[in-house]
Amino acid sequence: MTKPLGRRVTMAAAISALILPFARHKALAAADQAPASATPLVLDDFTGPGGIATIGTRWAGFTDRVMGGRSNAQAAYDVIDGRRCLRMKGRVSTDGGGFIQLALDLEMGQAPLDASAYAGIEMDFWGNGEDYNCHLRTTDVRWYEQSYRATMASKPEWTTVRLPWSAFTPHGLTTLLNLKGLMRLGLLGWMRDFDADFAVSRVALYTA
């Protein structure tokens, strides 16, 4: 039995939700952990029931396909090297599009997330050696092509990745990143032709 990853993600056109049967997979190596934050705000540690994130929202998986693109992907909860995680794998194609994405709404109680007390985003990330993107949307974003973007490398082992706010650059807008108005976080295979395979087992905001 499969379960949808999210309730909805709003874009300029309809999007396709992705589901995949729960599976197990062993990664190639153990985790490479960074020092723990003093008081992180955990957005999701993937231990909640029914796919609900720690902050009470749900992840959604989608591709560029019904917007004219040809990328394909599957997304599901998985276990890699003993860690429950959310995994997406597929083929990113720039033929008419160029992305696959896992997205988490950050609105809590219909209010944007205030991240001004934190230094950036920290996640336990696994991948196939390719580079992936992390995108943020805020209350200043008015169009689906607008976002604040950072790129991160991946390894076929669990690695703690930290992205300070300074790593995010605006695209399609000139407004500085509004840390008091975070609306959505996205993890993407992005804008080049390649085979994507990545997973996340924890995502949090960390302090300096």
Side-chain angles (χ1 to χ4, degrees):
M1 178 177 179
T2 58
K3 297 181 179 179
L5 294 180
R7 43 197 174 101
R8 67 180 175 86
V9 177
T10 301
M11 298 187 72
I15 56 176
S16 56
L18 305 171
I19 51 179
L20 177 72
F22 185 82
R24 290 181 178 270
H25 176 79
K26 186 173 180 62
L28 299 181
D32 177 18
Q33 298 289 340
S37 301
T39 54
L41 173 63
V42 177
L43 303 179
D44 199 3
D45 60 7
F46 301 95
T47 61
I52 300 174
T54 305
I55 60 172
T57 61
R58 292 178 182 269
W59 291 86
F62 58 93
T63 77
D64 59 22
R65 194 163 184 83
V66 296
M67 299 170 62
R70 296 181 179 273
S71 299
N72 289 289
Q74 296 175 313
Y77 293 95
D78 200 349
V79 174
I80 299 178
D81 196 26
R83 296 193 190 190
R84 189 168 189 263
C85 58
L86 183 56
R87 183 180 184 183
M88 174 169 269
K89 59 190 302 185
R91 176 70 184 175
V92 181
S93 171
T94 56
D95 184 5
F99 72 88
I100 62 175
Q101 180 172 184
L102 293 173
L104 179 67
D105 285 340
L106 299 179
E107 294 178 87
M108 295 182 288
Q110 303 302 313
L113 176 63
D114 183 351
S116 58
Y118 300 91
I121 295 172
E122 177 180 87
M123 69 185 81
D124 293 345
F125 197 77
W126 179 97
N128 60 349
E130 297 282 353
D131 288 347
Y132 293 94
N133 272 33
C134 180
H135 291 186
L136 295 173
R137 300 189 72 184
T138 72
T139 51
D140 296 314
V141 171
R142 296 289 184 265
W143 179 244
Y144 74 93
E145 292 183 345
Q146 296 177 330
S147 60
Y148 298 84
R149 304 173 186 176
T151 301
M152 55 190 178
S154 73
K155 298 178 182 179
E157 61 186 39
W158 286 113
T159 304
T160 299
V161 176
R162 280 188 170 181
L163 298 172
W165 302 130
S166 60
F168 290 88
T169 58
H171 286 258
L173 69 173
T174 58
T175 310
L176 295 178
L177 179 62
N178 176 15
L179 296 178
K180 294 185 177 182
L182 298 188
M183 300 289 286
R184 194 177 78 188
L185 178 149
L187 302 175
L188 300 91
W190 184 248
M191 291 302 172
R192 69 187 190 282
D193 298 295
F194 74 107
D195 292 319
D197 190 357
F198 66 92
V200 59
S201 66
R202 186 181 68 95
V203 58
L205 304 182
Y206 71 91
T207 57

